[in-house]
């Protein structure tokens, strides 16, 4: 299949790599030339790692990378031959809406249109493009090369045929799809992020220190890592943004972001990416 991926950041590059490994032809587009170049480098490095680990079968990284099309100059050119378009641009509502309006103008009638959004409504993006039947969510997880799940999200107008195609497409990448309806947080973030938020709340209440809270969940609930270490990995700004979106959309105070989380984000303590979060990761960067 011809797959066009919009946005060459962390997720766009990861999804592109998975598509190339599955034998699809990929066209990658980004509004920023330097982001596009960095995305192409990330894909090349990812494929080299996959080759080292023997994940490419008898293919080489170089041959696999050959199915990545040269950069298209415009979004219109990038989507012109696509069978599947996956939008993975920055999680800013105004940016996403403008990209989806363009998609409605430029994509042919046929292709499956999917968004990798974590927190925006698939139904709203479908409406911006005017293609509700062909639009769904394909929500991959980071790092894409490691995590096997894809949430296949049904918007209000998504057709059964589009859901089937999206499911089959996720399977073609070796992923395991789970289907769900377009509700805030879908499945994983709706369950996971309030759990992480509650750990920040417990810490703020002085119930225990961060180490003890994480130990309780790794040893008492067999979690692979504790909720506060997980928050540091995800990024506290991302956790806060998802809680704010759940709170706004669902209107229930049980989704209120923990004040501790808000204070830490304001202070720039974002977790691993800033060098400091609930735990020290080598000092503030
Ligand atoms: N990072 C994660 O852990 C994660 C996990 C699952 C889903 N997501 C979702 O994936 C999407 C992308 O997230 P990310 O972490 O890769 O972000 P990112 O910031 O790494 O990359 C976003 C890219 O979009 C590009 N972009 C911005 N506006 C654009 C436009 N108008 N046209 C084309 N490209 C444009 C930016 O230049 C940037 O390269 C978001 O919707 C996010 O919610 C992220």
């Amino acid at each position: 299949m011809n797959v066009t991926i919009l946005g060459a950041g962390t997720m766009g590059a990861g999804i592109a790599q998975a598509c190339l490994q599955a034998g699809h032809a990929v066209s990658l587009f980004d509004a920023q030339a330097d982001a596009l170049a960095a995305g192409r480098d990330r894909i090349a490095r990812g494929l080299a790692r996959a080759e080292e680990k023997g994940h490419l079968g008898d293919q080489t990284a170089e041959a696999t990378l050959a199915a990545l099309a040269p950069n298209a100059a415009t979004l219109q050119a990038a989507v012109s031959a696509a069978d599947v378009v996956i939008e993975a641009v920055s999680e800013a509502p105004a940016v996403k809406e403008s990209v989806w309006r363009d998609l409605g103008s430029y994509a042919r009638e046929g292709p499956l249109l999917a968004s990798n959004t974590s927190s925006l409504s698939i139904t709203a993006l479908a409406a911006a493009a005017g293609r509700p039947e062909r639009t769904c969510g394909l929500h991959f997880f980071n790092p894409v090369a490691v995590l096997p799940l894809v949430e296949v999200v049904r918007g209000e107008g998504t057709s059964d045929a589009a859901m089937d195609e999206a499911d089959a497409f996720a399977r073609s990448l070796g992923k395991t799809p789970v289907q769900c309806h377009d509700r805030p947080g879908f499945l994983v973030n709706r369950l996971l992020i309030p759990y992480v938020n509650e750990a920040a709340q417990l810490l703020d209440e002085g119930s225990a220190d961060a180490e003890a809270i994480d130990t309780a969940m790794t040893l008492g609930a067999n979690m692979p890592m504790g909720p506060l270490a997980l928050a540091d990995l995800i990024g506290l700004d991302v956790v806060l943004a998802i809680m704010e979106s759940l709170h706004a959309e669902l209107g229930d105070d049980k989704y209120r972001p923990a004040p501790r989380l808000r204070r830490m984000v304001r202070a720039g303590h974002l977790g691993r990416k800033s060098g400091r979060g609930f735990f020290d990761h080598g000092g503030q960067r």
Side-chain angles (χ1 to χ4, degrees):
M1 282 197 191
N2 288 318
V3 183
T4 292
I5 297 167
L6 306 176
T10 308
M11 295 305 288
I15 297 165
Q17 184 191 330
C19 291
L20 290 167
Q21 284 182 227
H24 299 302
V26 174
S27 176
L28 189 64
F29 177 77
D30 199 288
Q32 307 287 335
D34 53 349
L36 191 51
R40 293 183 81 98
D41 282 354
R42 196 175 297 140
I43 295 167
R45 285 198 307 275
L47 286 172
R49 262 196 311 276
E51 184 180 3
E52 270 166 38
K53 289 182 183 162
H55 292 169
L56 297 186
D58 51 12
Q59 282 285 357
T60 62
E62 202 182 336
T64 309
L65 194 59
L68 181 60
N71 296 343
T74 60
L75 183 142
Q76 183 170 13
V79 302
S80 62
D83 301 309
V84 178
V85 178
I86 303 175
E87 172 275 306
V89 308
S90 316
E91 188 80 345
V95 172
K96 293 266 201 217
E97 244 181 57
S98 135
V99 167
W100 277 83
R101 267 198 309 275
D102 286 351
L103 259 182
S105 315
Y106 300 140
R108 293 176 294 115
E109 282 299 323
L112 183 68
L113 305 180
S115 177
N116 186 50
T117 181
S118 300
S119 64
L120 302 178
S121 158
I122 297 300
T123 304
L125 297 177
R131 304 280 180 89
E133 295 202 341
R134 300 297 298 157
T135 300
C136 66
L138 274 175
H139 188 218
F140 291 82
F141 290 79
N142 185 24
V144 178
V146 177
L147 293 178
L149 184 70
V150 178
E151 291 175 323
V152 179
V153 185
R154 184 189 282 272
E156 285 302 305
T158 312
S159 68
D160 290 344
M163 288 299 285
D164 289 346
E165 284 169 45
D167 202 281
F169 177 73
R171 286 182 202 280
S172 79
L173 306 183
K175 300 295 183 194
T176 301
V178 290
Q179 295 194 13
C180 63
H181 286 271
D182 185 22
R183 303 288 181 269
F186 309 136
L187 300 176
V188 172
N189 285 340
R190 177 75 172 268
L191 291 165
L192 186 67
I193 302 300
Y195 154 71
V196 166
N197 187 60
E198 200 61 25
Q201 184 63 34
L202 268 180
L203 185 68
D204 218 18
E205 288 171 15
S207 176
D209 64 17
E211 199 76 54
I213 291 170
D214 272 20
T215 301
M217 293 312 290
T218 50
L219 300 188
N222 213 15
M223 296 293 193
M225 66 167 61
L228 298 172
L230 180 60
D232 280 3
L233 181 66
I234 296 170
L236 271 55
D237 51 340
V238 176
V239 173
L240 177 60
I242 296 174
M243 281 312 294
E244 282 174 332
S245 151
L246 290 176
H247 196 200
E249 285 284 325
L250 295 161
D252 188 326
D253 275 348
K254 76 178 179 184
Y255 299 107
R256 186 177 69 108
R260 171 76 164 239
L261 198 57
R262 208 181 279 289
R263 288 200 303 277
M264 290 179 72
V265 171
R266 282 186 184 139
H269 301 157
L270 306 181
R272 288 194 191 186
K273 63 183 161 191
S274 74
R276 180 170 164 191
F278 292 107
F279 298 96
D280 189 4
H281 302 280
Q284 185 74 47
R285 279 198 289 272

